[in-house]
Amino acid sequence: MIDDRAYWNPYVAGVMLGLVLFAAFVLTGGGLGGSGGLARVTSELTAAVAPAYVRTHPTLAAQVGGANAAWGHPMVFMTLGVLAGGFLSGLLAGRLKVETRRGPQLSAARRVGFAVVGGIIAGFAARLARGCTSGQALTGGATLSLGSWIFMGFVFFAAYVLAYPLRRLWN
Amino acid sequence: MAPFGYAGDAGVATLIGLAFGIVLERSGFGDSRILTAQFYLHNMRVLKVMFTAIVTASLLLALGHGLGLVDLAGIWVPPTHLWPGLLGGFLLGVGFLVGGYCPGTSLVASATLKLDGLAFVGGLVLGIVAFNAATPALLDFWEHSGHLGRVTLMDATGLSTGAIVLGVVVLALSAFWVAGRVERAARRRRRGPVPSGGRLT
């Protein structure tokens, strides 16, 4: 059951998120990230499976091993923090429960299938754009980056364009 | 750059991530139905939370700069790569509506044991692997197409930081006013049962 009142008032939540974002700028000089840590871990896993492929790769080669190893990268720690924070908050709110969140017309199995497909598209997109809703939209939005505002506009544009054709997924 | 030393940076990043995860979960962003409701107009939390956060952080940055407490030159501004950013943004919107999450929110959904969130994270890894595989072919486009570097809205318009921040605040307040009206109208129109018999209020 969706109960909107179970969550923080959105404007209060927004101020809190803004404070976290500001703290990130002041303490690290950079902003927030949602996909960068995952990309770093993926690079390391790829290097473990296919070291020769990574050594000759134009962007991965510089990302793995030694001082650049994902296991020491701040983005990876931020990702671990996000997981821990989500877990803690869910636990305290009684929302820690194995379930599949889906539209009323979609079976759980189909919902999981669409989630994988959407994840693949989003993973590719976040690398292409050099960031996602966190690293581009929030971070670049607050620092008034031209490219990040254009990025954000196109995220919303695409989702609104697809909302009607894909209405059975969510309604 | 390691302002707090190696272990210190890791600790700071973990703590920021922790706070980020808590706020995302409390915003309702661990639920794909709430996130996608933005695009069916009956719950506009995504717009309200994101825009409020951007306004709050940019006001604090401007204020901190005005008081001489924050050096804006030391703050990282995502560089503008026009076409990869535009195309990536469009595709991220597609992935968002198809998959129900964006990367950060899917982490929070996974942490609260939502199977759709875990599936989305699995997809993200596959998508990252796919991009890496395509990098040699895309490299020229990815690095050079519309590469303008560190460009702010102030640079692009010639307006002052104060004027742009004021503009963002006015835009946000207008968006909140419109969102409130659209949300109420959309909820009045939705008469059918909402998932699991719950009703968005």
Side-chain angles (χ1 to χ4, degrees):
Chain A
M1 161 166 170
I2 306 179
D3 181 5
D4 195 64
R5 287 163 300 185
Y7 297 105
W8 282 348
N9 172 291
Y11 298 113
V12 173
V15 170
M16 298 298 284
L17 184 55
L19 291 174
V20 175
L21 184 54
F22 179 67
F25 284 126
V26 172
L27 295 174
T28 72
L32 299 171
S35 55
L38 221 47
R40 289 281 170 165
V41 171
T42 305
S43 305
E44 290 292 345
L45 294 178
T46 310
V49 176
Y53 164 74
V54 168
R55 261 198 306 279
T56 55
H57 192 279
T59 56
L60 293 185
Q63 276 185 27
V64 298
N68 300 317
W71 323 123
H73 199 277
M75 291 301 296
V76 176
F77 286 100
M78 190 176 290
T79 303
L80 293 174
V82 170
L83 288 169
F87 175 84
L88 201 65
S89 173
L91 178 71
L92 295 175
R95 285 190 283 266
L96 210 61
K97 194 175 146 204
V98 178
E99 58 187 323
T100 307
R101 259 115 186 224
R102 58 195 160 98
Q105 302 193 51
L106 211 59
S107 71
R110 281 173 63 87
R111 166 72 187 109
V112 165
F114 278 109
V116 172
V117 172
I120 292 174
I121 300 170
F124 189 94
R127 289 299 87 212
L128 180 61
R130 296 172 169 79
C132 58
T133 333
S134 314
Q136 282 287 357
L138 287 176
T139 304
T143 54
L144 309 169
S145 159
L146 173 68
S148 298
W149 278 83
I150 293 172
F151 167 86
M152 192 167 15
F154 273 84
V155 173
F156 277 82
F157 173 68
Y160 274 111
V161 165
L162 278 183
Y164 187 74
L166 295 182
R167 62 194 179 281
R168 296 233 159 106
L169 287 185
W170 300 109
N171 293 283
Chain B
M1 239 191 32
F4 296 98
Y6 182 83
D9 277 0
V12 168
T14 308
L15 286 178
I16 290 170
L18 191 77
F20 187 28
I22 292 171
V23 174
L24 286 178
E25 206 283 330
R26 294 286 154 143
S27 300
F29 289 0
D31 189 334
S32 51
R33 298 166 301 180
I34 288 184
L35 292 167
T36 54
Q38 171 70 39
F39 307 106
Y40 297 98
L41 311 178
H42 57 86
N43 191 331
M44 297 223 170
R45 276 182 168 270
V46 171
L47 176 118
K48 293 176 191 169
V49 174
M50 278 186 70
F51 228 153
T52 306
I54 287 171
V55 165
T56 303
S58 57
L59 276 175
L60 286 172
L61 283 174
L63 193 70
H65 178 68
L67 295 173
L69 299 171
V70 178
D71 177 19
L72 288 187
I75 302 284
W76 185 70
V77 177
T80 296
H81 290 262
L82 190 59
W83 299 111
L86 192 155
L87 189 61
F90 189 90
L91 287 174
L92 196 87
V94 173
F96 194 156
L97 202 76
V98 172
Y101 296 103
C102 61
T105 53
S106 71
L107 292 172
V108 170
S110 298
T112 54
L113 311 179
K114 307 308 170 226
L115 300 179
D116 51 326
L118 286 161
F120 191 92
V121 172
L124 284 178
V125 172
L126 294 177
I128 291 166
V129 169
F131 182 78
N132 289 339
T135 301
L138 292 175
L139 197 61
D140 189 48
F141 172 74
W142 191 63
E143 287 191 330
H144 303 300
S145 175
H147 182 201
L148 306 176
R150 189 193 205 263
V151 186
T152 62
L153 296 175
M154 290 74 82
D155 302 324
T157 58
L159 295 170
S160 69
T161 306
I164 293 287
V165 171
L166 184 69
V168 170
V169 172
V170 170
L171 189 68
L173 292 177
S174 321
F176 297 152
W177 183 78
V178 172
R181 292 185 73 94
V182 168
E183 225 173 25
R184 279 191 291 279
R187 284 174 192 187
R188 271 198 298 275
R189 263 202 317 277
R190 277 168 73 86
R191 295 224 171 81
V194 206
S196 326
R199 181 162 279 284
L200 287 162
T201 51

